[in-house]
Coordinates of all heavy atoms in Angstrom, one line a residue:
C102 N 130.5 165.8 145.4 CA 130.2 167.1 144.9 C 129.0 167.7 145.5 O 128.9 168.9 145.8 CB 130.1 167.1 143.3 SG 131.6 166.6 142.5
H103 N 127.9 166.9 145.6 CA 126.7 167.3 146.2 C 126.7 167.2 147.7 O 126.0 166.4 148.3 CB 125.5 166.5 145.6 CG 125.4 166.6 144.1 ND1 124.8 167.7 143.5 CD2 125.8 165.7 143.1 CE1 124.8 167.5 142.2 NE2 125.4 166.3 141.9
H104 N 127.6 168.0 148.3 CA 127.9 167.7 149.7 C 127.0 168.3 150.7 O 127.2 168.1 151.9 CB 129.4 168.1 150.0 CG 129.7 169.5 149.5 ND1 131.0 170.1 149.7 CD2 129.0 170.4 148.8 CE1 131.0 171.3 149.1 NE2 129.8 171.5 148.5
Y105 N 126.1 169.2 150.4 CA 125.2 169.7 151.3 C 123.7 169.6 150.9 O 122.9 170.4 151.2 CB 125.5 171.2 151.6 CG 126.7 171.4 152.5 CD1 127.9 171.7 152.0 CD2 126.5 171.3 153.9 CE1 129.0 171.9 152.8 CE2 127.6 171.5 154.7 CZ 128.8 171.8 154.2 OH 129.9 171.9 155.0
N106 N 123.4 168.5 150.3 CA 122.0 168.2 149.9 C 121.3 167.4 150.9 O 121.8 166.3 151.4 CB 122.0 167.5 148.6 CG 121.4 168.3 147.5 OD1 122.2 168.7 146.6 ND2 120.1 168.6 147.5
T107 N 120.1 167.8 151.4 CA 119.3 167.0 152.3 C 118.3 166.3 151.4 O 118.5 166.0 150.2 CB 118.6 168.0 153.3 OG1 117.8 169.0 152.6 CG2 119.6 168.6 154.2
L108 N 117.1 166.0 151.9 CA 116.1 165.2 151.2 C 115.3 166.0 150.2 O 114.4 165.5 149.5 CB 115.1 164.6 152.2 CG 115.8 163.6 153.2 CD1 114.7 163.0 154.1 CD2 116.5 162.4 152.4
G109 N 115.7 167.3 150.1 CA 115.0 168.1 149.1 C 115.5 167.9 147.7 O 116.2 167.0 147.4
P110 N 115.3 168.9 146.8 CA 115.8 168.8 145.4 C 117.3 168.8 145.4 O 117.9 169.4 146.3 CB 115.1 170.0 144.7 CG 114.9 170.9 145.8 CD 114.5 170.1 147.0
I111 N 117.9 168.3 144.3 CA 119.4 168.4 144.1 C 119.7 169.8 143.8 O 119.2 170.4 142.8 CB 119.8 167.4 143.0 CG1 119.5 165.9 143.5 CG2 121.3 167.5 142.8 CD1 119.9 164.9 142.4
L112 N 120.6 170.4 144.6 CA 121.0 171.8 144.4 C 122.1 171.9 143.4 O 123.0 171.1 143.4 CB 121.4 172.4 145.7 CG 120.3 172.4 146.8 CD1 120.9 172.9 148.1 CD2 119.1 173.1 146.4
S113 N 122.1 173.0 142.6 CA 123.2 173.3 141.7 C 124.3 174.0 142.5 O 124.0 174.5 143.6 CB 122.8 174.2 140.6 OG 122.2 175.4 141.0
C114 N 125.5 174.0 142.0 CA 126.6 174.6 142.8 C 126.4 176.1 143.2 O 126.7 176.5 144.3 CB 127.9 174.5 142.0 SG 128.4 172.8 141.6
N115 N 125.8 176.8 142.2 CA 125.6 178.3 142.5 C 124.4 178.6 143.4 O 124.1 179.7 143.7 CB 125.4 179.0 141.1 CG 124.2 178.6 140.4 OD1 123.7 177.5 140.5 ND2 123.6 179.6 139.6
A116 N 123.8 177.5 143.9 CA 122.7 177.7 144.9 C 123.4 178.1 146.2 O 122.7 178.8 147.1 CB 121.9 176.4 145.1
C117 N 124.6 177.7 146.4 CA 125.3 178.0 147.7 C 126.6 178.9 147.4 O 127.0 179.6 148.3 CB 125.7 176.7 148.4 SG 124.4 175.7 148.9
H118 N 127.2 178.7 146.2 CA 128.4 179.4 145.9 C 128.2 180.6 145.0 O 127.7 180.4 143.9 CB 129.4 178.4 145.3 CG 129.8 177.2 146.2 ND1 130.7 177.3 147.2 CD2 129.3 176.0 146.2 CE1 130.8 176.2 147.8 NE2 129.9 175.3 147.2
S119 N 128.5 181.7 145.5 CA 128.2 183.0 144.8 C 129.1 183.1 143.5 O 130.3 182.7 143.6 CB 128.4 184.2 145.7 OG 128.3 185.4 144.9
E120 N 128.6 183.7 142.5 CA 129.4 183.9 141.3 C 130.3 185.1 141.5 O 131.3 185.3 140.8 CB 128.5 184.2 140.1 CG 127.7 182.9 139.7 CD 126.8 183.2 138.5 OE1 127.2 184.1 137.6 OE2 125.7 182.7 138.4
E121 N 130.0 185.9 142.5 CA 130.8 187.1 142.8 C 132.1 186.8 143.5 O 132.0 186.1 144.6 CB 130.0 188.1 143.6 CG 128.8 188.7 143.0 CD 129.1 189.5 141.7 OE1 130.2 190.2 141.8 OE2 128.4 189.4 140.7
R122 N 133.2 187.2 143.0 CA 134.5 186.9 143.7 C 134.6 187.7 145.0 O 135.1 187.1 146.0 CB 135.6 187.3 142.7 CG 137.0 186.9 143.1 CD 137.1 185.4 143.0 NE 138.5 184.9 143.1 CZ 138.8 183.6 143.2 NH1 137.9 182.7 143.2 NH2 140.1 183.3 143.3
H123 N 134.2 188.9 145.0 CA 134.2 189.7 146.2 C 132.9 189.6 147.0 O 131.8 189.9 146.4 CB 134.5 191.2 145.9 CG 135.8 191.4 145.2 ND1 137.0 191.4 145.8 CD2 136.0 191.6 143.8 CE1 138.0 191.6 144.9 NE2 137.4 191.7 143.7
R124 N 132.9 189.1 148.2 CA 131.7 188.8 148.9 C 131.9 189.0 150.4 O 133.1 188.9 150.9 CB 131.2 187.4 148.6 CG 132.2 186.3 149.0 CD 132.0 185.1 148.2 NE 132.9 184.0 148.7 CZ 134.2 184.0 148.4 NH1 134.8 184.9 147.7 NH2 135.0 183.0 148.9
E125 N 130.9 189.1 151.2 CA 131.0 189.3 152.6 C 131.4 188.0 153.3 O 132.3 188.0 154.2 CB 129.7 189.9 153.2 CG 129.4 191.3 152.8 CD 128.2 191.8 153.5 OE1 127.7 191.1 154.4 OE2 127.7 192.9 153.1
N126 N 130.8 186.9 152.9 CA 131.0 185.6 153.6 C 132.1 184.9 152.9 O 131.9 184.2 151.9 CB 129.7 184.8 153.6 CG 129.9 183.5 154.3 OD1 130.8 183.3 155.0 ND2 128.9 182.6 154.2
I127 N 133.3 185.0 153.4 CA 134.5 184.3 152.8 C 134.6 182.9 153.3 O 135.6 182.2 152.8 CB 135.8 185.1 153.0 CG1 136.1 185.2 154.5 CG2 135.7 186.5 152.4 CD1 137.4 185.8 154.8
R128 N 133.8 182.5 154.2 CA 133.9 181.1 154.7 C 133.4 180.1 153.6 O 133.9 179.0 153.6 CB 133.0 180.9 155.9 CG 133.5 181.6 157.2 CD 132.6 181.4 158.3 NE 133.0 182.1 159.5 CZ 132.8 183.3 159.9 NH1 132.1 184.1 159.0 NH2 133.3 183.9 161.0
V129 N 132.5 180.5 152.7 CA 132.0 179.7 151.7 C 132.7 180.1 150.4 O 132.7 181.3 150.0 CB 130.5 179.8 151.5 CG1 130.0 178.9 150.3 CG2 129.8 179.4 152.8
P130 N 133.4 179.2 149.7 CA 134.2 179.6 148.5 C 133.2 180.1 147.4 O 132.0 179.7 147.3 CB 134.8 178.2 148.0 CG 134.8 177.4 149.2 CD 133.6 177.8 150.0
D131 N 133.7 181.0 146.6 CA 132.9 181.5 145.5 C 132.8 180.4 144.5 O 133.5 179.4 144.6 CB 133.5 182.8 144.9 CG 134.8 182.6 144.3 OD1 135.8 182.3 145.0 OD2 134.9 182.6 143.0
L132 N 132.0 180.6 143.4 CA 131.7 179.5 142.5 C 133.0 179.1 141.8 O 133.2 177.9 141.6 CB 130.7 180.0 141.5 CG 130.1 178.9 140.5 CD1 129.5 177.8 141.3 CD2 129.1 179.6 139.5
K133 N 133.8 180.0 141.4 CA 135.1 179.7 140.7 C 136.0 178.8 141.5 O 136.5 177.8 141.1 CB 135.8 181.0 140.2 CG 137.0 180.7 139.4 CD 137.7 182.0 139.0 CE 138.9 181.8 138.2 NZ 139.5 183.1 137.7
A134 N 136.1 179.2 142.8 CA 136.9 178.5 143.7 C 136.4 177.1 144.0 O 137.1 176.1 144.0 CB 137.1 179.2 145.0
A135 N 135.0 177.0 144.1 CA 134.4 175.7 144.4 C 134.6 174.7 143.2 O 134.9 173.6 143.4 CB 132.9 175.9 144.6
Y136 N 134.4 175.2 142.0 CA 134.7 174.4 140.8 C 136.1 173.8 140.9 O 136.3 172.6 140.7 CB 134.5 175.2 139.5 CG 133.1 175.5 139.1 CD1 132.7 176.5 138.3 CD2 132.0 174.6 139.5 CE1 131.4 176.7 137.8 CE2 130.7 174.8 139.1 CZ 130.4 175.9 138.2 OH 129.2 176.1 137.8
H137 N 137.1 174.7 141.1 CA 138.4 174.3 141.0 C 138.9 173.4 142.1 O 139.7 172.5 142.0 CB 139.4 175.5 140.8 CG 139.3 176.2 139.5 ND1 138.3 177.1 139.2 CD2 140.0 176.0 138.3 CE1 138.4 177.5 137.9 NE2 139.4 176.9 137.4
Q138 N 138.3 173.6 143.3 CA 138.7 172.8 144.5 C 138.2 171.3 144.2 O 138.9 170.4 144.6 CB 138.0 173.3 145.7 CG 138.7 174.5 146.4 CD 138.0 174.9 147.6 OE1 137.1 174.3 148.2 NE2 138.4 176.1 148.1
K139 N 137.1 171.2 143.6 CA 136.6 169.9 143.3 C 137.3 169.2 142.2 O 137.5 168.0 142.2 CB 135.1 169.9 143.0 CG 134.2 170.2 144.1 CD 134.3 169.1 145.2 CE 133.5 169.4 146.4 NZ 133.8 168.4 147.5
C140 N 137.8 169.9 141.2 CA 138.4 169.3 140.0 C 139.9 169.1 140.1 O 140.4 168.1 139.6 CB 138.1 170.2 138.8 SG 136.3 170.5 138.5
L141 N 140.6 170.1 140.7 CA 142.0 170.1 140.6 C 142.7 168.9 141.3 O 143.7 168.4 140.8 CB 142.6 171.4 141.1 CG 142.5 172.6 140.1 CD1 143.0 173.9 140.8 CD2 143.3 172.3 138.9
S142 N 142.2 168.5 142.4 CA 142.9 167.5 143.2 C 143.0 166.2 142.4 O 144.1 165.6 142.4 CB 142.1 167.2 144.5 OG 140.8 166.8 144.2
C143 N 142.0 165.8 141.7 CA 142.1 164.6 140.9 C 142.8 164.8 139.6 O 143.7 164.0 139.1 CB 140.7 164.0 140.5 SG 139.8 163.3 141.9
H144 N 142.5 165.9 138.9 CA 143.2 166.2 137.6 C 144.7 166.5 137.7 O 145.4 166.2 136.8 CB 142.5 167.4 136.9 CG 141.2 167.0 136.3 ND1 141.0 166.8 135.0 CD2 139.9 166.8 136.8 CE1 139.7 166.5 134.7 NE2 139.1 166.5 135.8
R145 N 145.1 167.0 138.9 CA 146.5 167.2 139.1 C 147.2 165.9 139.2 O 148.3 165.7 138.6 CB 146.7 168.0 140.4 CG 148.2 168.3 140.6 CD 148.4 169.1 142.0 NE 147.9 170.4 141.9 CZ 146.8 170.8 142.6 NH1 146.2 170.0 143.4 NH2 146.4 172.1 142.5
Q146 N 146.6 164.9 139.8 CA 147.3 163.6 139.9 C 147.1 162.8 138.6 O 148.0 162.1 138.1 CB 146.6 162.8 141.0 CG 146.9 163.3 142.4 CD 146.4 162.3 143.5 OE1 145.8 161.3 143.2 NE2 146.6 162.7 144.7
W147 N 146.0 163.0 138.0 CA 145.6 162.2 136.8 C 146.6 162.6 135.6 O 147.2 161.7 135.0 CB 144.2 162.5 136.4 CG 143.7 161.8 135.1 CD1 143.4 162.4 134.0 CD2 143.6 160.4 134.9 NE1 143.1 161.5 133.0 CE2 143.1 160.3 133.6 CE3 143.7 159.3 135.7 CZ2 142.9 159.0 133.0 CZ3 143.5 158.1 135.1 CH2 143.0 157.9 133.8
S148 N 146.7 163.9 135.3 CA 147.4 164.3 134.1 C 148.7 164.9 134.4 O 149.5 165.2 133.5 CB 146.6 165.3 133.3 OG 146.3 166.4 134.0

Side-chain angles (χ1 to χ4, degrees):
C102 294
H103 300 282
H104 48 177
Y105 281 99
N106 247 110
T107 57
L108 298 179
I111 297 176
L112 301 176
S113 60
C114 299
N115 64 331
C117 300
H118 300 280
S119 171
E120 296 178 33
E121 296 297 325
R122 191 71 169 168
H123 301 284
R124 61 206 185 281
E125 291 184 8
N126 182 12
I127 61 173
R128 293 177 178 85
V129 179
D131 67 291
L132 188 60
K133 183 177 180 179
Y136 281 158
H137 287 83
Q138 282 182 10
K139 287 296 175 189
C140 302
L141 279 177
S142 60
C143 289
H144 282 259
R145 183 182 290 114
Q146 291 186 3
W147 175 251
S148 62

